[in-house]
Amino acid sequence: MWSAVGRTASPTRIQRCAYNILYQLTGKHMADFYKCLQWCSNRKKTEYVRTLTFPLPKHLKGYRREWYGRYREVTFEGHSFLVQASYKEWLEWEFGDYNKLPPAEKRKIHPVTMIRFPAHGSISQTEPKDKELYDGEQRQR
């Protein structure tokens, strides 16, 4: 947590005090607080659910509760994974025809971290200046 630094390095006394309080909280305190939030949120049986710590895309209310109630095992490249029983319905809802690539002009490229492996063996990690994808050389959008 940033509180270890903030409690001594923050410019104002109020900020240092707030960071000091946060610094006193343990992982158990945070886990208990999260469980309390879950309990409060799960009391009502709603049509939609969401993860408290994960933002929703497209300004959605949440994901359909029924998608998270049943699971099944799926084999992928020789490994078994537990997935939502209605994963195909979720994929269609989220991405439309998920088996078909969108046109090149509608594809999104996410920012990545570029890792360079110099000849002498040490690894350095930097953010790409223009947020393009790298794999040895810059890819075209």
Side-chain angles (χ1 to χ4, degrees), residues 7 9 19 22 33 47 52 71 80 84 86 88 96 120-121 124:
R7 70 188 193 127
Y19 278 119
L22 289 173
F33 178 67
E47 184 180 352
L52 291 171
Y71 297 89
S80 292
Q84 300 165 346
S86 52
K88 289 182 181 181
H120 60 280
S124 66

Side-chain angles (χ1 to χ4, degrees), residues 41-123:
S41 297
N42 290 334
R43 288 186 306 171
K44 282 197 306 186
K45 295 300 177 198
T46 59
E47 184 180 352
Y48 294 94
V49 296
R50 64 172 292 186
T51 302
L52 291 171
T53 57
F54 194 76
L56 289 171
K58 305 178 194 171
H59 309 290
L60 300 174
K61 295 186 233 177
Y63 297 102
R64 297 188 61 82
R65 178 180 292 277
E66 64 201 45
W67 291 339
Y68 297 96
R70 296 177 301 124
Y71 297 89
R72 67 184 238 186
E73 216 170 272
V74 172
T75 302
F76 178 73
E77 294 188 358
H79 299 280
S80 292
F81 298 95
L82 196 60
V83 300
Q84 300 165 346
S86 52
Y87 70 93
K88 289 182 181 181
E89 183 183 345
W90 179 84
L91 286 169
E92 287 172 2
W93 178 81
E94 185 76 19
F95 303 108
D97 186 357
Y98 62 91
N99 285 314
K100 182 179 173 188
L101 283 173
E105 65 274 2
K106 290 194 175 189
R107 293 180 195 164
K108 295 178 184 177
I109 297 176
H110 301 279
V112 297
T113 298
M114 178 175 54
I115 299 176
R116 295 178 192 222
F117 297 95
H120 60 280
S122 68
I123 298 172

Side-chain angles (χ1 to χ4, degrees), residues 107-110 112 114 128 130-141:
R107 293 180 195 164
K108 295 178 184 177
I109 297 176
H110 301 279
V112 297
M114 178 175 54
D130 55 6
K131 300 288 186 193
E132 291 288 333
L133 291 177
Y134 288 81
D135 74 13
E137 64 183 29
Q138 197 169 12
R139 291 185 188 171
Q140 300 297 316
R141 280 188 182 233

Side-chain angles (χ1 to χ4, degrees), residues 3-15:
S3 57
V5 174
R7 70 188 193 127
T8 58
S10 290
T12 68
R13 186 175 184 172
I14 291 174
Q15 285 178 336

Side-chain angles (χ1 to χ4, degrees), residues 23-40:
Y23 183 73
Q24 302 301 318
L25 297 175
T26 64
K28 182 179 178 342
H29 289 109
M30 298 308 288
D32 289 344
F33 178 67
Y34 186 75
K35 284 179 187 175
C36 180
L37 288 175
Q38 285 178 326
W39 180 82
C40 291

